[in-house]
Amino acid sequence: MTAGSTPTLCAVNLRFAAMQISFSDCALNTASRQLTRDGTIVPLEPKMYELLELLIRRRPAVVRNEELDELLWPKVYVARTSLTRLVSELRTVLGDSPRDSRIIRTVYKVGYAFAAEVTVAGATRRRAAQLYLEWNDQMMPLTEGENIVGRSEECSLVVDARTVSRCHARITVALGKATIEDLNSTNGTFVNRKPIAGATPLADGDEVAFGTAALRFREVDRSALTERKAQS
């Protein structure tokens, strides 16, 4: 990445709501941006916090080195050793190591992934809601974390249409909420007929178009009571 270059990946600006995220012997409070280990506050530099939050939010997916560079140091040239050093410092703070990889997993020459089991407290629970994309009367479920949409059979959600790129967009689901980003597609991604330029939240009933292929975002509440049939 060079200074002033146009990023090939969309920067994600989604933040967690106020909550406490526990993993291993650590707890991360997103309201105070504070990390504790065994109940003791551990200093966490801003870039280390951003890296940790990003990896947790995108778990269990691997976040590529190039994307981490763009998200952590936007529009600034940094050597690859900067990311390597930041990951090493974060591992030390968390009590992790490259050999154990209990918390941060290295994918050689690709990127990093958050590997520890996570429990969340203080967040609004929305587990009953199921998220889908509706296309041609087909309901395509979205899962927690990353959902890659494209024409390629390797994508999480395959939309086989001529205006859809092989890897067209990414829908990220976190705690029952979904955001969508374009992945530098040829024909663009649209929400309610407006082109998106970054991470865009989705709401029930939104029209989502990949090029000219139009789908519908649906949020189905499985806990809702069954509607009674009207009596004649």
Side-chain angles (χ1 to χ4, degrees):
M1 182 175 62
T2 58
S5 63
T6 301
T8 57
L9 296 171
C10 295
V12 181
N13 196 29
L14 173 66
R15 295 297 182 189
F16 283 120
M19 65 185 74
Q20 180 155 301
I21 303 167
S22 301
F23 56 92
S24 186
D25 60 351
C26 301
L28 181 69
N29 189 304
T30 60
S32 63
R33 294 171 64 97
Q34 197 168 66
L35 177 74
T36 58
R37 282 188 64 194
D38 289 329
T40 301
I41 296 175
V42 180
L44 201 60
E45 295 179 358
K47 289 295 181 188
M48 294 168 65
Y49 176 88
E50 291 175 16
L51 174 61
L52 177 59
E53 184 187 277
L54 174 61
L55 292 176
I56 291 174
R57 172 160 39 82
R58 297 280 288 277
R59 71 188 190 282
V62 177
V63 187
R64 292 182 171 273
N65 293 324
E66 295 81 6
E67 185 175 6
L68 287 169
D69 285 343
E70 291 179 0
L71 294 174
L72 295 170
W73 297 280
K75 298 182 180 180
V76 176
Y77 173 80
V78 292
R80 178 47 41 79
T81 53
S82 297
L83 177 59
T84 304
R85 182 171 58 253
L86 185 64
V87 172
S88 177
E89 292 171 352
L90 179 58
R91 276 181 167 142
T92 299
V93 167
L94 300 177
D96 197 19
S97 70
R99 177 175 296 180
D100 295 335
S101 296
R102 296 177 301 106
I103 300 174
I104 299 177
R105 179 170 64 90
T106 301
V107 182
Y108 184 61
K109 290 188 177 181
V110 177
Y112 299 91
F114 195 84
E117 184 176 347
V118 168
T119 57
V120 179
T124 302
R125 299 186 63 84
R126 300 184 64 194
R127 298 301 184 185
Q130 299 293 315
L131 307 182
Y132 301 87
L133 283 183
E134 185 179 9
W135 187 49
N136 293 339
D137 297 324
Q138 177 186 1
M139 298 293 278
M140 308 166 70
L142 298 168
T143 60
E144 186 83 4
E146 284 190 341
N147 299 263
I148 303 300
V149 183
R151 199 175 69 252
S152 171
E153 293 183 357
E154 297 177 358
C155 293
S156 313
L157 303 174
V158 178
V159 179
D160 189 11
R162 294 181 62 183
T163 61
V164 178
S165 297
R166 289 182 58 80
C167 292
H168 195 108
R170 171 172 52 225
I171 298 176
T172 302
V173 177
L175 300 173
K177 293 184 177 292
T179 59
I180 187 169
E181 310 158 64
D182 187 77
L183 294 179
N184 200 30
S185 65
T186 300
N187 295 304
T189 301
F190 304 79
V191 174
N192 296 326
R193 302 186 181 182
K194 295 181 180 179
I196 64 172
T200 302
L202 293 173
D204 183 43
D206 281 348
E207 180 186 271
V208 182
F210 307 104
T212 59
L215 295 82
R216 188 72 60 181
F217 176 75
R218 293 296 186 190
E219 181 176 343
V220 181
D221 187 356
R222 295 300 187 189
S223 65
L225 296 175
T226 302
E227 185 176 329
R228 291 182 178 275
K229 183 179 178 180
Q231 298 295 323
S232 57

